[in-house]
Amino acid sequence: MSEQGTSYFGVRDIEHVESDLERFHERGLNAVLHTFSERDREYYMETMADIVSASHDRDMRVYVNPWAVGRVFGGEALSEFIGRHPESCQVLSTGERIPAACFNDTRFRTYMREWATDAAEIGADVLFWDEPHWYIPEWFDDELPEGAWTCRCETCQELYEDDYGEEMPAVRTDRIDEFRERSLLSFLEEMMSHTADRGCQNAVCLLPSKDAEHGLSDWEDLASSEFLDILATDPYWGVHGKESEAFVSSFTGTVVSLAAEYDLESQIWIQGFRLSGGEKTVREVREATRAAVDGGVDSVFMWGYDGCRSISSIACAEPEAVWNAYLDELPVV
């Protein structure tokens, strides 16, 4: 394993950022992911460039992600885009619009290309396409009408008819799932091509579930892209109610195998949020980190730094213990 890092967010004062980066560097981290939300892009462009530069000064590889942009990527951030452009949002099969952008919407694709251009402009080495997904209601404690699905906006209906030569049904079918996956892959391919043209690498972090409900059922379709450089996933055992070591080991094997087949880098994310306290949690973090390292992954990260203590809604009960458990299991690089 050659890379070990953490996600970093919430701090935009460069002096405080440099202090945090310095202690990351002293603990052996050589990579960092900086969140780049719609708010950051609107108000903190020069600040973000300074933060990226400070990371490079410490020989860290810099990832940048679209933190909750359009509400179709992971992250604890709000989206102004969906408020300004409700016509670009996904539409349920029952006709109601929901607060998440549609991957097929032309305006949203233009917005995301512009986001990628700005992410490259602030100096990112890697653009990290973080948990791209169609609307997942349970993430927002939302209950959809029985049998409802997305997206059935006018654009999606037109594209479906072009692809299949028939009207898009209102009932979910295997073809609907296939169309959703093809649309997501088309979106990622366009964004990754644009990113590559701007001199950055592409990483895609898939949710650890091989089905159309949470992303892609066949990860090989993504791994085979000529524009992908790093295949990642985040087997957060506490979120999915799994045993940490086995869950992380399984998905480490998946990304390592596909990365070897398609000449990619492999990456695993370790859960560092919403974890209870006590010895059991510390043991789970240690076992998960060792499972990724021993599984031969090229890169391991934790989400997020200091056990997410700065975000009260997702902070670990004992954030320092979680953070140190992760750091203590990392090899010397």
Side-chain angles (χ1 to χ4, degrees):
M1 189 184 74
S2 60
E3 184 174 81
Q4 44 204 40
T6 185
S7 62
Y8 188 76
F9 41 79
V11 184
R12 294 297 177 255
D13 183 302
I14 190 63
E15 292 185 7
H16 293 294
V17 171
E18 288 183 326
S19 176
D20 286 334
L21 291 173
E22 194 60 35
R23 64 186 175 91
F24 297 165
H25 182 69
E26 290 173 355
R27 289 300 301 266
L29 301 187
N30 57 14
V32 62
L33 181 147
H34 292 297
T35 57
F36 189 45
S37 66
E38 295 179 38
R39 177 172 175 261
D40 290 321
R41 183 171 171 239
E42 184 70 24
Y43 300 110
Y44 293 91
M45 277 289 292
E46 290 186 21
T47 304
M48 291 303 301
D50 290 341
I51 289 172
V52 170
S53 178
S55 305
H56 284 148
D57 288 344
R58 290 158 179 81
D59 297 321
M60 303 180 89
R61 189 188 198 185
V62 176
Y63 293 69
V64 166
N65 79 331
W67 208 27
V69 174
R71 301 300 282 172
V72 293
F73 298 99
E76 290 70 36
L78 301 177
S79 171
E80 183 175 354
F81 177 87
I82 61 174
R84 287 186 175 275
H85 305 290
E87 72 282 358
S88 295
C89 288
Q90 295 174 41
V91 176
L92 289 176
S93 54
T94 50
E96 298 92 342
R97 288 198 181 273
I98 53 176
C102 175
F103 288 114
N104 285 322
D105 182 76
T106 302
R107 187 190 296 272
F108 183 59
R109 289 198 178 200
T110 298
Y111 183 87
M112 288 309 304
R113 288 195 303 273
E114 293 170 349
W115 177 92
T117 297
D118 286 347
E121 182 67 24
I122 64 174
D125 302 307
V126 183
L127 300 197
F128 185 83
W129 304 100
D130 190 2
E131 299 180 338
H133 58 273
W134 294 97
Y135 188 68
I136 302 176
E138 56 264 32
W139 283 21
F140 306 99
D141 295 324
D142 192 6
E143 290 189 17
L144 301 184
E146 185 176 355
W149 51 271
T150 64
C151 172
R152 201 170 183 269
C153 68
E154 290 183 5
T155 299
C156 283
Q157 291 188 56
E158 291 171 2
L159 290 172
Y160 183 93
E161 188 166 353
D162 289 343
D163 287 349
Y164 297 103
E166 64 182 31
E167 183 177 335
M168 176 181 265
V171 176
R172 190 164 178 173
T173 65
D174 289 343
R175 275 192 171 180
I176 291 295
D177 284 346
E178 179 183 80
F179 175 77
R180 282 161 52 102
E181 293 194 46
R182 288 171 59 175
S183 296
L184 179 55
L185 283 168
S186 169
F187 172 85
L188 289 171
E189 194 76 0
E190 181 177 334
M191 297 307 126
M192 292 194 297
S193 173
H194 182 82
T195 296
D197 287 344
R198 274 136 193 85
C200 295
Q201 291 185 301
N202 285 291
V204 175
C205 183
L206 294 173
L207 289 164
S209 181
K210 297 179 181 179
D211 58 61
E213 194 68 36
H214 296 88
L216 300 175
S217 59
D218 188 349
W219 291 14
E220 195 164 354
D221 290 339
L222 173 66
S224 61
S225 171
E226 65 176 298
F227 302 112
L228 182 66
D229 301 289
I230 303 161
L231 179 63
T233 190
D234 47 9
Y236 299 146
W237 62 93
V239 173
H240 297 274
K242 303 291 186 179
E243 191 275 322
S244 67
E245 185 175 11
F247 196 46
V248 172
S249 292
S250 175
F251 279 98
T252 296
T254 297
V255 295
V256 167
S257 175
L258 285 171
E261 182 176 355
Y262 290 98
D263 194 26
L264 306 169
E265 294 178 59
S266 57
Q267 186 176 84
I268 287 289
W269 284 75
I270 303 300
Q271 183 173 352
F273 63 94
R274 286 184 179 150
L275 292 175
S276 58
E279 294 182 5
K280 179 176 182 291
T281 292
V282 170
R283 183 176 67 252
E284 288 174 339
V285 173
R286 289 183 178 276
E287 290 174 348
T289 306
R290 284 199 301 269
V293 172
D294 293 346
V297 76
D298 297 307
S299 172
V300 63
F301 272 67
M302 170 168 272
W303 195 290
Y305 83 104
D306 290 344
C308 288
R309 70 183 183 191
S310 64
I311 305 183
S312 58
S313 65
I314 65 169
C316 294
E318 296 177 0
E320 185 176 358
V322 167
W323 177 242
N324 287 327
Y326 166 66
L327 294 176
D328 290 346
E329 292 300 325
L330 296 176
V332 177
V333 295

